[in-house]
Structure formats: structure tokens, C-alpha cells
């Protein structure tokens, strides 16, 4: 499956996808990287990997969408992966790529959509945080959920430490979720995503966890 990855900045999730695509048997390749910013550090990662990258420096949302759509089609992209893409997308573009565009967000959606998701999680006092890969719909950070990864919130966490823990999970989750799509194992049914051959972990985890016991409390229930 040919991927088009859209970025605005650092590009560490792009890097995780580049590395996954380089591993033997991975069922996808990155055909194109699009950035809306010329100074995105992720562009250098694409260059090192020899992946075509284009900056679309266009303020008008509709014109940006038109240019992006044309490029994605020219490169025969089958799945668009938003990876730290920080612009609101034109609704026409989202509709044109419906069910063929995914995003990664640093929270357990539907909790904490929008900016500073990790800060929102700390302010809410949740004991678990994480990240979500979902199909993109018109509303920001909404859409059928494909996969999530959970990390524990620690008592001494600040935004930086929690973000780093979530980011490490993102780098595992995104390639794994894209693999499911590329293998044709996902089906969107209404607001939900069915996954063929879905394996889920059995453990229950408490946080805070008992001092004497392991955090994994039971295997079921
Ligand atoms: C990630 O936390 C991602 O979940 C969010 O933006 C950040 C992008 O980081 N959408 P990077 O550019 O992939 O390093």
C-alpha cells in the first residue's frame, strides 16, 4: 500500500513509519511526504530516506487541499497518514479521502481532543493516558477508532515526561495500525472499526498499584 504522510514539524512518527516500511515483509511504502511548512524537521528525515517530499506553502485552505489532493493522486497514494499535521483540513479533502485517511492523536480519544492533549490529561487527573489512531472525519480528532495504546500516568509526571512516554507508544502504535489497514484487515461499520483477527491483551492494570503486588492484577475481568 502506498502511503502519503502529511507533517508540519518534528516528524518522529514519520520516522517510525519510515523504519517500519524498511523492515522485511511490511506491507506498505511511503510514496510521498507533504509538509505545510518549509522548516519542518521531518523533511530532512524524508530526504535521508530518499522519499519525495513537497512543501505546500499555501495559506488558503481550499487551494492547499487542491494541491495536496493532486499530489497524492499523482503518487498513487492509497492511504494518507496525518503525522503531526497541524493545519485544519478542508472538508472537501477529508470527504475525498474518507476511509483512506488516518491520524494519530496523543490521547485516548474521545477524551482530550485538540491541542495539548497531554496537558489536558494531567489537569483531569486521569491515571492512564495514551494515543489513538483513527480514521479522519470533518470534526478534528474525531472519527472511527482503529487502535489505541495505553501508558500509565506517574505521580511525578509533568507535561514533558508524559508526552515522551506517550510518544514512544505512538511510534509503536502507528506502524502497527497502518499494517492492519494495508493487510486489508479493517472494515469501517458506522462509527466503529472491525478488525479481522483482532488480538487484545488480557491483563487488568491498576494505577496506583498495590505496593506489594505486581501492577498486572488479573488476567480477566
Ligand atoms: C504527535 O504527538 C502526534 O500524536 C500529534 O502531533 C505529534 C507529532 O509529533 N498529532 P511528530 O511530528 O510525529 O514527532
Amino acid at each position: 500500500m502506498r502511503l502519503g504522510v502529511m507533517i508540519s514539524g518534528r516528524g518522529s512518527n514519520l520516522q517510525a513509519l519510515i523504519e517500519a516500511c524498511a523492515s522485511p515483509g511490511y506491507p506498505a511504502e511511503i510514496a510521498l511526504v507533504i509538509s505545510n511548512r518549509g522548516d519542518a524537521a521531518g523533511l530532512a528525515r524524508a530526504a535521508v530516506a530518499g522519499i519525495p517530499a513537497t512543501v505546500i506553502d499555501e495559506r488558503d485552505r481550499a487551494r492547499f487541499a487542491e494541491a495536496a489532493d493532486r499530489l497524492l493522486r499523482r503518487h498513487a497514494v492509497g492511504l494518507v497518514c496525518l503525522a503531526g499535521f497541524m493545519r485544519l483540513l478542508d472538508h472537501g479533502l477529508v470527504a475525498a479521502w474518507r476511509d483512506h485517511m488516518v491520524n494519530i492523536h496523543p490521547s485516548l480519544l474521545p477524551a482530550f481532543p485538540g491541542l495539548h492533549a497531554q496537558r489536558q490529561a494531567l489537569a483531569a487527573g486521569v491515571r492512564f493516558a495514551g494515543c489513538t489512531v483513527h480514521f479522519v472525519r470533518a470534526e478534528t480528532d474525531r472519527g472511527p477508532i482503529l487502535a489505541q495504546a495505553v501508558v500509565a500516568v506517574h505521580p511525578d509526571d509533568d507535561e514533558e515526561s508524559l508526552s515522551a512516554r506517550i510518544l514512544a507508544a505512538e511510534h509503536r502504535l502507528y506502524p502497527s495500525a497502518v499494517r492492519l489497514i494495508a493487510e486489508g484487515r479493517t472494515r469501517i461499520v458506522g462509527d466503529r472499526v472491525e478488525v479481522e483477527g483482532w488480538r487484545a491483551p488480557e491483563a487488568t492494570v491498576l494505577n496506583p498499584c498495590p505496593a506489594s503486588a505486581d501492577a498486572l492484577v488479573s488476567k480477566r475481568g
Side-chain angles (χ1 to χ4, degrees):
M1 174 169 268
R2 290 172 65 77
L3 310 178
V5 183
M6 293 178 65
I7 63 167
S8 298
R10 180 177 56 184
S12 70
N13 278 289
L14 165 65
Q15 186 67 41
L17 289 169
I18 289 172
E19 284 165 23
C21 288
S23 65
Y26 192 78
E29 59 181 316
I30 303 177
L32 168 71
V33 171
I34 293 175
S35 172
N36 65 314
R37 298 182 57 125
D39 61 355
L43 289 168
R45 301 179 190 267
V48 168
I51 298 166
T54 303
V55 177
I56 306 179
D57 186 10
E58 169 59 69
R59 291 197 163 270
D60 181 83
R61 204 185 292 172
R63 280 208 292 264
F64 177 92
E66 216 175 279
D69 190 59
R70 203 177 320 118
L71 267 173
L72 292 165
R73 289 181 198 284
R74 192 188 302 155
H75 284 81
V77 163
L79 180 71
V80 179
C81 300
L82 305 183
F85 184 71
M86 297 303 287
R87 272 193 74 171
L88 292 177
L89 282 175
D90 174 78
H91 286 187
L93 186 69
V94 172
W97 289 87
R98 188 183 170 91
D99 299 349
H100 300 281
M101 183 185 278
V102 287
N103 179 43
I104 187 157
H105 180 75
S107 79
L108 296 171
L109 290 174
F112 317 130
L115 292 175
H116 309 301
Q118 304 91 335
R119 195 187 300 172
Q120 293 184 57
L122 286 173
V126 294
R127 280 9 186 179
F128 292 98
C131 48
T132 303
V133 175
H134 65 96
F135 287 93
V136 174
R137 295 291 182 259
E139 206 187 337
T140 305
D141 300 327
R142 292 288 183 230
I145 289 171
L146 166 55
Q148 295 186 306
V150 175
V151 302
V153 176
H154 294 206
D156 57 352
D157 265 336
D158 56 17
E159 197 176 345
E160 195 185 331
S161 62
L162 181 60
S163 299
R165 195 173 306 119
I166 294 173
L167 192 65
E170 292 184 42
H171 297 161
R172 292 178 59 194
L173 185 71
Y174 215 176
S176 153
V178 168
R179 174 190 276 278
L180 292 174
I181 298 172
E183 288 177 347
R185 291 170 54 191
T186 61
R187 196 162 73 100
I188 302 170
V189 184
D191 293 335
R192 296 160 51 107
V193 181
E194 288 178 358
V195 179
E196 192 192 302
W198 176 348
R199 290 177 59 234
E202 296 208 339
T204 297
V205 184
L206 305 191
N207 186 17
C209 57
S212 57
D214 194 88
L216 300 183
V217 169
S218 78
K219 287 213 148 189
R220 270 225 183 270

